[in-house]
Amino acid sequence: MNSSKSTINRSMHLCLLGLLIFVPSCGNSNNLYPVTGKVIYKGQPAVGAILYFNVKGADPKVSQTASAVVGEDGTYTLETSRFGKGAAPGDYTVIVYWPREDTEAKGHHTPAAPKKGNQPDRLKQKYFVAGNPLLEAKIIAGKNEIPPFDLTD
């Protein structure tokens, strides 16, 4: 009788191990989830605009900041600095910095945070005030498509 209990226990352990190996995960090991969206200005894609997603209520100097550069079609994909693509679940404030054409960020990379006043902002820093953000977003565990941000002067 002990050998049958032992066989059942081994079978259960193998079954559980199999589930752990083959069940896919939505997030990665850094607790980041895919985040995409679109940024529009006067009906056109805000190409080259840089977005910074900061955890709501946290000090952006200390917490993880997710960022993205808006592409030719107006879309963006968030990355969290050196941790990879995506962002952790939570409530975020969003600031936008859109450099003028002659100083635009090129390509889809994780941008370094510009210093306020370093380069001219097309939006005159209207969306670049961390203490009074005009945009917010919620990121959940899973795939996220943020509603479009429609910027104005």
Side-chain angles (χ1 to χ4, degrees):
M1 193 164 257
N2 283 342
S3 69
S4 68
K5 280 187 180 180
S6 161
T7 304
I8 291 172
N9 283 339
R10 260 185 283 170
S11 295
M12 286 177 59
H13 285 123
L14 288 173
C15 184
L16 288 173
L17 180 62
L19 283 173
L20 290 174
I21 291 171
F22 293 109
V23 173
S25 171
C26 291
N28 64 28
S29 62
N30 293 326
N31 194 33
L32 302 180
Y33 295 89
V35 181
T36 59
K38 193 168 195 168
V39 182
I40 302 297
Y41 175 73
K42 295 184 178 180
Q44 299 297 315
V47 180
I50 304 168
L51 293 101
Y52 300 96
F53 281 57
N54 299 304
V55 176
K56 201 172 194 178
D59 182 351
K61 294 176 186 170
V62 182
S63 69
Q64 289 182 359
T65 298
S67 59
V69 177
V70 177
E72 295 292 324
D73 61 354
T75 62
Y76 64 88
T77 301
L78 279 185
E79 292 186 28
T80 302
S81 16
R82 59 188 182 267
F83 299 105
K85 291 192 183 284
D91 293 320
Y92 287 79
T93 58
V94 181
I95 59 173
V96 180
Y97 170 69
W98 193 9
R100 297 223 180 262
E101 283 184 47
D102 56 336
T103 58
E104 251 177 48
K106 300 293 181 195
H108 293 272
H109 63 282
T110 303
K115 302 221 182 310
K116 202 168 185 176
N118 243 13
Q119 299 172 329
D121 180 9
R122 290 185 194 189
L123 303 168
K124 299 177 178 116
Q125 299 181 341
K126 177 179 180 177
Y127 295 93
F128 194 57
V129 181
N132 186 27
L134 299 178
L135 306 172
E136 295 183 348
K138 182 174 188 72
I139 296 173
I140 60 167
K143 188 175 179 181
N144 294 267
E145 178 141 356
I146 304 298
F149 293 125
D150 194 358
L151 308 178
T152 61
D153 287 333

